[in-house]
Amino acid sequence: MTSVLFVCLGNICRSPLAEGILRHRLVEAGLERRVLVDSAGTGNWHAGKAPDPRSIEIAARNGIDLSGLRARQVGAADFERFDLILAMDRDNLETLERFGARAGLVRRGDVRRFLQTNVPDPYYGGPEEFQTVFDMLDEGCDRLLRDLVQGV
Ligand code: 4NP
């Protein structure tokens, strides 16, 4: 069993979308019981909330249901629980590294940025920004799935 945690700022736009996409890909590949997927935010402003309606909508258009997800803040236990913690942007990564350093828990190499570039925060954007985010996450999950298949 491998476990992956996607992390963004609010856990309502980018990381739940990444969670939904990867889970969908795993089901398609028949690997859903081999990889645990979750998401969290570095902030707690949206804790308990469903994903942003714009993320729910773009996921639904691609056959992915995010409506059951609820936001939560990343916690110290996540550093022990997840094999891979993937930050959406450099700010998220820096925050995670601070959390982890404080908790004494960061295992180097396990906490990294998901993509080589930042997945831009779409919260104050429109449909185009959400489309860009979706496309980046979709491609990234494709690559991640290939890597996971080699490792599981
Ligand atoms: P996310 O987007 O980090 O992709 O979930 C955001 C959601 C909410 C806020 C910022 C980014 N906010 O400032 O409330």
Side-chain angles (χ1 to χ4, degrees):
M1 168 72 85
T2 306
S3 53
V4 179
L5 180 70
F6 291 106
V7 175
C8 61
L9 180 61
N11 192 210
I12 56 168
C13 297
R14 292 165 291 177
S15 61
L17 201 45
E19 177 184 347
I21 293 169
L22 183 60
R23 213 174 261 152
H24 185 73
R25 292 294 174 91
L26 287 165
V27 169
E28 283 178 341
L31 290 171
E32 70 274 18
R33 287 209 287 273
R34 308 285 293 277
V35 185
L36 176 75
V37 189
D38 197 5
S39 66
T42 58
N44 70 349
W45 313 283
H46 298 281
K49 283 201 216 161
D52 187 288
R54 298 164 294 177
S55 282
I56 291 180
E57 197 214 291
I58 198 161
R61 271 195 275 125
N62 288 276
I64 299 167
D65 181 16
L66 301 186
S67 61
L69 300 182
R70 294 295 176 268
R72 69 173 183 89
Q73 187 174 29
V74 71
D78 291 315
F79 287 87
E80 293 175 334
R81 194 175 297 142
F82 289 92
D83 296 312
L84 201 53
I85 300 181
L86 298 172
M88 289 293 142
D89 63 33
R90 192 164 288 287
D91 282 350
N92 305 150
L93 181 60
E94 283 171 5
T95 306
L96 282 172
E97 283 168 346
R98 276 200 306 277
F99 275 180
R102 217 180 301 142
L105 288 167
V106 169
R107 295 162 298 173
R108 269 193 75 80
D110 293 341
V111 183
R112 58 177 163 86
R113 199 161 52 159
F114 179 36
L115 305 179
Q116 280 180 346
T117 53
N118 293 328
V119 179
D121 180 351
Y123 190 61
Y124 294 104
E128 259 179 52
E129 279 74 17
F130 276 82
Q131 185 67 57
T132 300
V133 165
F134 183 87
D135 292 342
M136 291 177 82
L137 296 177
D138 199 34
E139 203 186 313
C141 283
D142 231 18
R143 235 174 303 134
L144 178 59
L145 182 61
R146 259 177 275 138
D147 292 345
L148 290 172
V149 164
Q150 284 172 1
V152 293

